[in-house]
Amino acid sequence: MSASTSTAAAAKLDTQPIMKMDPWLEPYIPGIEKRWELFAKWKSTIDSTEGGYEKFSRGYERYGLQVYDDGTITYREWAPNAVKANLVGDFNNWDRSSHQMERDPYGVWSITIPPKAPGISMIVPSLGRIERLPVWIKRVTQDLSVSPAYDARFWNPPADEKYTFKNSRPKKLECLRIYEAHVGISTPELRVGTYKEFTKDTLPRIHKLGYNAIQLMAIMEHAYYAFTGSERLIVPIAFGYQINSFFAASSRYGTPEELKELIDTAHGLGITVLLDVVHSHASKNVLDGLNSFDGTDHQYFHEGGKGRHELWDSRLFNYGHHEVLRFLLSNLRFWMEEYQFDGFRFDGVTSMMYVHHGIGTGFSGGYHEYFGDQVDLEGVVYLMLANDMLHNLYPNSISIAEDVSGMPLLCVPVSIGGVGFDYRLSMAVPDMWIKLLKETKDEDWNMGNIVHTLTNRRWREKSIAYAESHDQALVGDKTLAFWLMDKEMYTNMSDLTEMTPIISRGLALHKMIRLLVHALGGEGYLNFEGNEFGHPEWLDFPREGNGNSFQYARRQWNVVDDDLLRYKYLNNFDAAIQHLEEKYHWLEADPGYVSLKHEGDKVIVFERAGLLFIFNFHHTNSFTDYRVGVEVPGDYRIVLSSDDKQYGGWDRVDLTTTFVTTALEWNNRKNFLQVYVPSRVALVLALVSTI
């Protein structure tokens, strides 16, 4: 760590920058100072006792199985409650007494061994002998025909079989267009997909669409492949979120080397790769998880009820423990170094930041909710340390918070008192669309409320907007396409069938909603795989309740590849949005200036990044020579029309028309132009000089 960084941690927080950013924080400055002081204290401790982030976060190079140049292998594990520990495995025929480990004063056990499949057998007070998988193990496998429990595997392939990275990481993105993906469901076949298949088949699709980042879900080895239930509060209970082995890439999809190849190939395409990291909780499994590793319930977690999440049925970390911080920070460093990930989407951040974990609690936006006794300072400080470490060691890394609470300063640098994330997910946006489609007739949609939800974000804190994610795709809910078109998706998505009013409306609104969210909703955009083309049906993992079927645990790429089906139109439009953003960079521009929210006409007009966006949500009315305000004078032309035939529209808009501004003020803009806006159509206009 540099001297300047260390000095910054020891200095008193200057609150002027955050006060200038948000004067409403003034009554809560003591709370902000308190959490920053706790952060500074931890950082100082790490500096003085561990050599700073650089050494402290390399725990994975000391703990677990370490192979040295002379061929010897040392195994270390922190298990302070154990009174005796032995290493067992194939190498000693599982003899629980032959390879006794030595303990240091800090409860760290170690031994040097030959390279074979390992496990650790310990004697602990009251429980006697227990056996566990190594905490820092890098590969575990599961044979369901024998047991649902995982077995530890010593992964150390020969040099010629180890993957060598060929491509450097992409430069840090300022216009983040994220494709949220799950390797296992990325095959159209009735089975679990593989890393190899994702690299070969799915990456080219993502690249062609124009997304510049992938967020990989369910990579950290997890207890259940199946989805077993959902709490809309923050995250599904399973679906890859019940982590057993934090340093192991899921063996369901292939080998560690194949995951490295996937990431390296993405980098070669210029695609940033983010890991969906789960540090908010852990699987309660004992035999193959962290739970009761050394026979106590408080080694990595809080003891008693404080260490258990009542809705997720999982264990909660003790973020105030030195060794737990080593484990978690090293885990982040490991994925950055070993696999060359470019950053993280932190799952369940709301649960981490509040002692109530968000359970049974609504957030009104009142500042008293963010700086009182309900805040878990240890959780907040861990997130500050994590972001501070990532941005110090990897200046180009990206961190995204999944938070429903609206915590102020969440996406403000740690150095000035923030929690340090780069982005937060705008979780209210998809909820708004689902609520509208479920409960409100089209003619009753409130343009002002829609705009407010899309623009209601903290000043200078960047947000990732999305119309829908995996949450909406899961069984029990519906995707936007399914809410819009429902059963007619089974009968009328062919060009050989009638374009019914339901399908016409569904295609039109699907395109309009996604463009509006993309252009107005944030400083980044996210799409869950398949939703770009209105993937039919829902997402349901194999489980007892569905006969362990893979029918809905896959992506039906065949429907978008079939030129006779209308899914191609939605896919084409989604690609057009991504490529247009790549050209004009509205995601890194200032928030859009909304000049019109007309409730009678159902029209929304705004400008961003020099583009003029016009949305007509009226269910029947088209408008000829519709006057819209625009700040910059000149000649404009349409660069994107959702009514274009290649996007499944009715081709009512002449794309060759040039619109000349008139220098008269309109809707608080210095100029206006007049344009034909058909019903349920979105238009994007640009100055001719920029096309």
Side-chain angles (χ1 to χ4, degrees), residues 303-588:
E303 61 183 333
K306 188 177 180 181
R308 289 168 172 78
H309 197 293
E310 63 183 65
L311 293 182
W312 299 343
D313 195 27
S314 55
R315 297 305 311 272
L316 299 174
F317 286 104
N318 179 359
Y319 302 110
H321 196 291
H322 192 99
E323 292 302 324
V324 175
L325 290 180
R326 185 198 307 278
F327 175 80
L328 294 174
L329 293 177
S330 295
N331 189 235
L332 297 175
R333 184 81 183 271
F334 170 79
W335 291 106
M336 294 292 289
E337 290 285 338
E338 184 74 11
Y339 288 95
Q340 297 290 295
F341 278 97
D342 303 298
F344 303 95
R345 177 262 203 187
F346 282 74
D347 181 75
V349 166
T350 305
S351 178
M352 300 171 74
M353 294 194 300
Y354 301 94
V355 295
H356 52 62
H357 309 298
I359 299 172
T361 303
F363 293 93
S364 66
Y367 279 42
H368 65 283
E369 297 170 337
Y370 307 119
F371 301 103
D373 294 339
Q374 64 270 36
V375 176
D376 188 332
L377 286 176
E378 291 178 346
V380 173
V381 168
Y382 163 66
L383 293 170
M384 294 170 72
L385 289 166
N387 281 303
D388 191 55
M389 181 199 77
L390 286 170
H391 292 113
N392 269 277
L393 298 179
Y394 307 97
N396 292 327
S397 64
I398 296 169
S399 65
I400 302 170
E402 188 206 29
D403 170 48
V404 299
S405 75
M407 168 72 80
L409 306 179
L410 187 66
C411 300
V412 169
V414 175
S415 59
I416 60 172
V419 183
F421 285 100
D422 294 298
Y423 299 88
R424 73 194 325 145
L425 292 176
S426 294
M427 300 183 72
V429 173
D431 289 345
M432 173 195 70
W433 291 117
I434 296 299
K435 184 176 176 64
L436 273 177
L437 293 174
K438 286 173 66 174
E439 301 177 3
T440 309
K441 295 179 180 179
D442 294 6
E443 55 266 35
D444 295 330
W445 284 16
N446 186 297
M447 300 295 103
N449 286 343
I450 292 173
V451 169
H452 174 75
T453 302
L454 289 170
T455 57
N456 182 28
R457 51 190 186 270
R458 297 197 178 279
W459 180 246
R460 297 301 180 190
E461 294 193 44
K462 294 191 289 188
S463 295
I464 302 291
Y466 57 107
E468 53 187 339
S469 71
H470 67 267
D471 284 335
Q472 287 71 41
L474 288 166
V475 63
D477 206 337
K478 293 181 181 180
T479 63
L480 289 181
F482 223 52
W483 277 114
L484 288 164
M485 296 176 281
D486 205 48
K487 62 184 179 182
E488 286 206 15
M489 294 184 75
Y490 295 108
T491 58
N492 289 84
M493 284 299 280
S494 170
D495 274 333
L496 301 180
T497 62
E498 176 191 4
M499 176 70 86
T500 65
I502 287 177
I503 295 296
S504 178
R505 168 185 178 266
L507 295 179
L509 290 179
H510 192 275
K511 291 178 290 184
M512 295 180 70
I513 287 169
R514 296 171 78 82
L515 176 59
L516 181 60
V517 170
H518 202 308
L520 189 61
E523 291 70 38
Y525 178 77
L526 178 143
N527 165 71
F528 178 63
E529 70 173 313
N531 286 353
E532 68 275 7
F533 62 84
H535 193 284
E537 302 174 324
W538 52 89
L539 183 61
D540 188 12
F541 284 79
R543 55 188 171 85
E544 186 177 347
N546 65 13
N548 292 311
S549 171
F550 282 86
Q551 179 64 33
Y552 302 110
R554 60 193 180 113
R555 295 287 87 178
Q556 299 180 48
W557 305 112
N558 55 294
V559 302
V560 72
D561 293 339
D562 190 333
D563 200 49
L564 289 177
L565 299 182
R566 290 168 172 146
Y567 296 99
K568 65 184 178 185
Y569 299 133
L570 300 179
N571 196 70
N572 292 344
F573 189 72
D574 194 83
I577 296 173
Q578 313 313 323
H579 290 290
L580 191 65
E581 199 288 325
E582 176 66 24
K583 180 175 182 177
Y584 288 98
H585 301 291
W586 63 68
L587 290 174
E588 66 176 313

Side-chain angles (χ1 to χ4, degrees), residues 98-273:
S98 65
H99 286 70
Q100 186 166 326
M101 301 173 69
E102 296 182 357
R103 175 186 170 127
D104 73 7
Y106 305 102
V108 177
W109 298 83
S110 63
I111 190 174
T112 299
I113 57 169
K116 293 289 182 179
I120 183 169
S121 179
M122 295 175 284
I123 295 177
V124 299
S126 73
L127 293 177
R129 183 171 293 279
I130 61 175
E131 294 179 351
R132 301 288 187 263
L133 267 60
V135 168
W136 302 72
I137 195 70
K138 297 179 178 66
R139 182 165 173 79
V140 294
T141 59
Q142 183 185 50
D143 185 350
L144 290 174
S145 66
V146 177
S147 168
Y150 281 87
D151 295 316
R153 301 296 178 190
F154 176 57
W155 185 256
N156 185 37
D160 61 347
E161 295 180 18
K162 291 183 178 180
Y163 188 81
T164 301
F165 287 91
K166 304 174 182 65
N167 301 295
S168 58
R169 287 187 170 106
K171 65 179 182 179
K172 186 170 185 177
L173 298 171
E174 297 300 331
C175 297
L176 201 57
R177 303 185 300 274
I178 303 171
Y179 196 87
E180 183 185 35
H182 185 292
V183 171
I185 70 166
S186 295
T187 174
E189 299 181 22
L190 300 175
R191 57 174 174 79
V192 178
T194 68
Y195 296 127
K196 280 282 191 183
E197 291 167 336
F198 192 95
T199 302
K200 175 179 174 290
D201 301 326
T202 309
L203 280 180
R205 292 181 183 274
I206 298 169
H207 183 246
K208 185 178 180 181
L209 281 167
Y211 288 89
N212 57 15
I214 303 171
Q215 178 182 302
L216 288 178
M217 307 171 61
I219 294 297
M220 302 167 74
E221 193 59 272
H222 44 288
Y224 313 108
Y225 186 64
F227 172 80
T228 60
S230 176
E231 290 299 336
R232 184 59 190 91
L233 164 71
I234 302 173
V235 293
I237 290 178
F239 191 37
Y241 291 103
Q242 294 264 356
I243 307 303
N244 281 6
S245 296
F246 283 73
F247 290 84
S250 182
S251 58
R252 292 177 175 89
Y253 321 128
T255 69
E257 309 311 304
E258 290 165 351
L259 174 57
K260 293 174 186 177
E261 180 186 27
L262 186 163
I263 294 168
D264 191 35
T265 304
H267 286 167
L269 295 171
I271 297 174
T272 291
V273 187

Side-chain angles (χ1 to χ4, degrees), residues 61 65-74 112-113 115 154 156 159 162:
E61 294 180 347
L65 291 154
Q66 303 298 328
V67 182
Y68 298 101
D69 293 339
D70 63 0
T72 61
I73 300 170
T74 297
T112 299
I113 57 169
F154 176 57
N156 185 37
K162 291 183 178 180

